[in-house]
Amino acid sequence: MFIEENKYIEEKDYRVYRQTDTLIYEDFKVVKYLPVFKGVLEEEDENFNSFFKDTNGWKKMNKLDNSHSVFKGELPAPAFKITLTD
C-alpha cells in the first residue's frame, strides 16, 4: 500500500514540553499513506497473529509498546481479516 498513488502529506503543529522550555514545531509535514484502517483492542493469547508494516519491514503487533493507558493492557489489531488465495 506504500505506493505513490496512496501518498499524502499531513501538516500539523506540535508542542514538545520540556522542563526548561517548550519547543513549538509549526507546519510540520508528515508523509502518510492511504487507506487508513481502523482497529480494535484484543487480549494477547497464543493465537494472536496480527502484523504491521513500518519502514523496517513487517513486525508483530505484540511488539508495540502498549503501556499507555488507552490500550488498557491490550493490543491493537485490525478490525478486519484478509485471506490470501491464489
Side-chain angles (χ1 to χ4, degrees), residues 1-84:
M1 302 262 193
F2 294 111
I3 60 175
E4 194 63 30
E5 291 83 2
N6 291 345
K7 182 177 170 180
Y8 72 99
I9 297 177
E10 184 176 84
E11 204 168 298
K12 283 186 167 184
D13 295 339
Y14 289 94
R15 293 182 188 276
V16 180
Y17 298 99
R18 299 189 310 183
Q19 289 180 342
T20 55
D21 61 353
T22 301
L23 299 173
I24 299 174
Y25 297 97
E26 294 180 346
D27 302 325
F28 186 80
K29 293 181 175 122
V30 179
V31 175
K32 294 188 173 187
Y33 293 86
L34 292 171
V36 176
F37 297 108
K38 298 295 182 182
V40 294
L41 293 176
E42 294 185 356
E43 291 184 20
E44 182 177 8
D45 65 18
E46 67 271 359
N47 296 322
F48 189 84
N49 232 357
S50 292
F51 291 80
F52 69 98
K53 186 172 189 214
D54 73 2
T55 55
N56 295 318
W58 289 97
K59 296 181 181 176
K60 286 196 87 165
M61 293 294 268
N62 57 1
K63 299 292 184 192
L64 289 173
D65 176 12
N66 68 338
S67 61
H68 192 282
S69 62
V70 72
F71 293 114
K72 303 173 193 161
E74 296 180 315
L75 295 168
F80 59 88
K81 292 183 180 182
I82 297 175
T83 302
L84 301 175

